[in-house]
Amino acid sequence: MLSAFIPIWLLTALGYLTARFNLVGAGAADVEAVLGRFVFRVAMPASLFGMLARSDLHALANTSIVAFGVSSLACCGLGLALGTRVFKRDVSNGAVVGMASGYVNSANLGIPVAIQVLGNAVFLSTVILFNTVLVTPIVLTLMGLRGEASPGMRQRLRSIALLPVHNPIIIASALGALVSGTHFHVPADVSSALSLLGGAAVPIALITLGMSLRVDKAAAPVLGEERTKKSLLAETTISIALKTALQPVLAYLLAYYVLDLPAHDVLAVTLCAALPTAQNVFIYASEYALDTVFARNAVIFSTVASMAGLWTVAALLK
């Protein structure tokens, strides 16, 4: 299982060293921003479109994904509530906290872990589908609410309704789902080009994450307000606890006691729920000029904490 984490640490370290030794020039902050926008607006939409176009959307209609989905949405909702009510964030930044608290790294980390522990990544494909079709559009819509101050309820509702239309990830996901639902065959050359482009999303996102460890963001105050280190530490700790502890426990209780799933399915649900926060949280926060410091810390430290959680789940349930 440890081998699944090594590529993540290596690419993150490469990003840090790139900024540390100015391998891309003195404007490392600008490079980081450009790479983040490339991932959000080009590479990730290509990856999600290709994945959904090849997926069977009927896979969402199974009992196991109910246990995982409820645990994920519950932790996301709890993180959002704590972020907005306790730590006094706006809804957009609260959505960053919510996503960090319940959105799992199901692709580049989840797949190798699932293969090692479960023997295959069948359930992981359903988790990826759930995150892409349901969780991502909701979170991105909430993040996009920042700056929406249209006068009048009708205008505000119209602005909110149009937010997904301007988001390349949501657009690509919707098109991919449409292709899957209509059984349209994407030409092989187009599919190959999209696969190559989509393959750049994860490594560049991790390099961008690593660069953010070095780039000085003090000159650009987060959220337009000063947040103390103590407050940020408390918020990060709570988010990591929700993601790496509460979510797998909740998933296990639902799978075992409520839905009475077979032992292997209980293991699959609990293992996937114990995965750490996805690096997508950092990319999305960067795109919307939200709290990237919190997002970065949540991704890195939840990945560290999840190593113990994943080992515990495998040891107790396998």
Side-chain angles (χ1 to χ4, degrees), residues 27-37 208 211-212 215 217 282 286:
D30 294 333
V31 173
E32 180 204 341
V34 170
L35 290 177
R37 285 193 293 270
T208 305
M211 291 181 70
S212 72
V215 172
K217 296 183 181 295
F282 174 78
S286 299

Side-chain angles (χ1 to χ4, degrees), residues 5 33 138 312:
F5 288 85
I138 295 174
T312 302

Side-chain angles (χ1 to χ4, degrees), residues 219-242:
V222 177
L223 312 180
E225 61 185 30
E226 292 297 330
R227 303 189 69 86
T228 65
K229 290 184 178 180
K230 185 177 180 180
S231 174
L232 182 61
L233 176 61
E235 196 171 17
T236 304
T237 302
I238 292 173
S239 175
I240 293 172
L242 292 176

Side-chain angles (χ1 to χ4, degrees), residues 74-140:
C75 289
C76 285
L78 188 54
L80 173 63
L82 290 173
T84 54
R85 299 295 180 87
V86 177
F87 295 99
K88 308 302 181 184
R89 291 179 178 269
D90 56 29
V91 174
S92 297
N93 282 287
V96 176
V97 180
M99 189 178 185
S101 302
Y103 191 97
V104 304
N105 190 337
S106 54
N108 60 303
L109 179 59
I111 290 176
V113 168
I115 291 175
Q116 287 292 328
V117 179
L118 304 175
N120 59 70
V122 174
F123 183 67
L124 246 297
S125 64
T126 311
V127 170
I128 295 172
L129 198 60
F130 172 82
N131 282 341
T132 305
V133 173
L134 184 61
V135 181
T136 298
I138 295 174
V139 170
L140 290 179

Side-chain angles (χ1 to χ4, degrees), residues 23-251:
L23 299 182
V24 291
D30 294 333
V31 173
E32 180 204 341
V34 170
L35 290 177
R37 285 193 293 270
F38 171 78
V39 172
F40 184 87
R41 301 179 185 183
V42 181
M44 198 171 289
S47 175
L48 293 176
F49 172 83
M51 186 274 292
L52 284 173
R54 297 188 299 270
S55 299
D56 180 10
L57 298 182
H58 294 93
L60 287 175
N62 70 75
T63 309
S64 296
I65 198 62
V66 172
F68 174 86
V70 170
S71 69
S72 177
L73 292 175
C75 289
C76 285
L78 188 54
L80 173 63
L82 290 173
T84 54
R85 299 295 180 87
V86 177
F87 295 99
K88 308 302 181 184
R89 291 179 178 269
D90 56 29
V91 174
S92 297
N93 282 287
V96 176
V97 180
M99 189 178 185
S101 302
Y103 191 97
V104 304
N105 190 337
S106 54
N108 60 303
L109 179 59
I111 290 176
V113 168
I115 291 175
Q116 287 292 328
V117 179
L118 304 175
N120 59 70
V122 174
F123 183 67
L124 246 297
S125 64
T126 311
V127 170
I128 295 172
L129 198 60
F130 172 82
N131 282 341
T132 305
V133 173
L134 184 61
V135 181
T136 298
I138 295 174
V139 170
L140 290 179
T141 300
L142 291 175
M143 289 184 183
L145 291 177
R146 193 180 193 194
E148 294 296 323
S150 304
M153 180 60 70
R154 177 178 295 180
Q155 292 86 344
R156 181 170 177 78
L157 290 176
R158 182 175 181 274
S159 298
I160 294 173
L162 291 177
L163 283 174
V165 179
H166 303 294
N167 188 298
I169 288 180
I170 297 179
I171 294 172
S173 299
L175 291 175
L178 179 64
V179 169
S180 174
T182 57
H183 303 288
F184 176 77
H185 178 68
V186 179
D189 292 338
V190 175
S191 179
S192 178
L194 289 175
S195 296
L196 287 173
L197 181 58
V202 171
I204 294 181
L206 290 171
I207 288 175
T208 305
L209 180 67
M211 291 181 70
S212 72
L213 294 170
R214 174 64 184 177
V215 172
D216 183 16
K217 296 183 181 295
V222 177
L223 312 180
E225 61 185 30
E226 292 297 330
R227 303 189 69 86
T228 65
K229 290 184 178 180
K230 185 177 180 180
S231 174
L232 182 61
L233 176 61
E235 196 171 17
T236 304
T237 302
I238 292 173
S239 175
I240 293 172
L242 292 176
K243 177 70 225 57
T244 61
L246 180 61
Q247 186 176 348
V249 169
L250 182 58

